[in-house]
Amino acid sequence: MEVQTPKIEQGWLKILRPEFESDYFRKLKEFLVEEKSKYTVYPAGSNIFTAFNLTPWDEVKVVILGQDPYHGPNQAHGLCFSVLPGITPPPSLKNMYKELQDDLGITPPGHGYLAKWAEQGILMLNAVLTVRAGMAGSHANKGWENFTDAAIQALSREKKGIIFVLWGNFAKTKRSLIDESKHHVLTAAHPSPFSANNGFFGCRHFSKINEILVSEGKAPIDWRL
């Protein structure tokens, strides 16, 4: 199975090798093999580590945290909030586009493919990297959280000046993993239609991210898709 020899960017592989060799990851692989023998699992095996491959360790400037991959066909491809080309943007992403337009005047694109953001240094990381088709949260508490927590902690420990973007109550639980004496944390409600009116709309995080990047001497994000 593809997960057994992860095709992951070399910088990340060096950092995360102890996780791949851990007992919990061995059990996670066994779970995924069993799941795939019975059910459809998203994203495709080759896309599980897309977030790490599109945003190499040495290039991370921003981290946007999600919870769980989309569980519908042809949606999830390893970046939180993003869907494959040709797939209608889901409601949360549409609300992100609305805030982006209100914040920076950028017209929403006709797609939901966010790879261009990832390629500019935004690690678009879900806490859980796989899901059973049609069952949101079905791969929670199987080991992925240990793995992605380790990635967040490594960024916090080894780097400085990263902007961590925590939308919604679940993402905010990761705040304790971040050393706020040397990193930036932006929090808001989740962009879901159930909560976007409770503090996501109007957060202006897209412009705030660029203001912080420029203040740190880094190139701002071109948010246009």
Side-chain angles (χ1 to χ4, degrees):
M1 181 187 167
E2 289 131 311
V3 179
Q4 288 181 318
T5 52
K7 294 180 179 177
I8 191 168
E9 187 268 332
Q10 286 300 306
W12 278 112
L13 181 60
K14 183 178 178 181
I15 293 292
L16 294 173
R17 189 180 299 277
E19 308 307 311
F20 289 122
E21 296 173 351
S22 69
D23 188 53
Y24 83 79
F25 203 86
R26 178 184 58 78
K27 292 176 181 175
L28 173 61
K29 287 189 291 187
E30 291 171 356
F31 165 75
L32 289 172
V33 168
E34 179 75 8
E35 276 285 285
K36 286 195 170 188
S37 72
K38 298 177 181 177
Y39 309 103
T40 299
V41 172
Y42 298 130
S46 58
N47 283 336
I48 289 173
F49 298 107
T50 296
F52 300 97
N53 290 327
L54 289 185
T55 312
W57 169 258
D58 288 338
E59 296 175 21
V60 179
K61 301 192 293 190
V62 180
V63 180
I64 295 179
L65 285 175
Q67 185 167 359
D68 198 40
Y70 295 122
H71 54 270
N74 301 314
Q75 289 183 310
H77 67 101
L79 300 182
C80 66
F81 294 107
S82 180
V83 291
L84 287 166
I87 303 300
T88 302
S92 291
L93 182 52
K94 287 182 178 177
N95 284 339
M96 290 165 59
Y97 288 164
K98 182 179 186 299
E99 176 61 22
L100 182 59
Q101 185 169 28
D102 291 344
D103 187 5
L104 290 171
I106 294 173
T107 302
H111 64 85
Y113 188 56
L114 306 181
K116 185 182 173 188
W117 293 357
E119 290 165 352
Q120 295 179 77
I122 303 180
L123 181 69
M124 307 195 63
L125 183 65
N126 276 317
V128 176
L129 299 187
T130 56
V131 69
R132 185 189 300 178
M135 288 189 64
S138 49
H139 289 185
N141 303 312
K142 301 296 183 183
W144 279 127
E145 294 92 342
N146 303 62
F147 180 81
T148 53
D149 281 359
I152 295 166
Q153 289 172 305
L155 288 167
S156 177
R157 181 179 65 248
E158 303 290 339
K159 295 179 178 287
K160 58 187 290 188
I162 290 178
I163 305 164
F164 290 88
V165 182
L166 312 180
W167 291 332
N169 291 333
F170 176 83
K172 291 173 187 174
T173 66
K174 304 300 181 179
R175 191 167 190 163
S176 62
L177 305 176
I178 301 161
D179 182 351
E180 294 187 54
S181 71
K182 60 176 183 168
H183 298 287
H184 309 274
V185 176
L186 298 178
T187 64
H190 195 278
S192 157
F194 300 106
S195 55
N197 287 310
N198 296 328
F200 178 77
F201 290 138
C203 71
R204 301 185 68 84
H205 278 180
F206 300 101
S207 60
K208 287 178 181 176
I209 288 168
N210 279 352
E211 288 166 8
I212 294 169
L213 290 173
V214 170
S215 76
E216 298 242 345
K218 300 173 184 175
I221 304 298
D222 178 1
W223 296 104
R224 296 171 297 177
L225 293 163

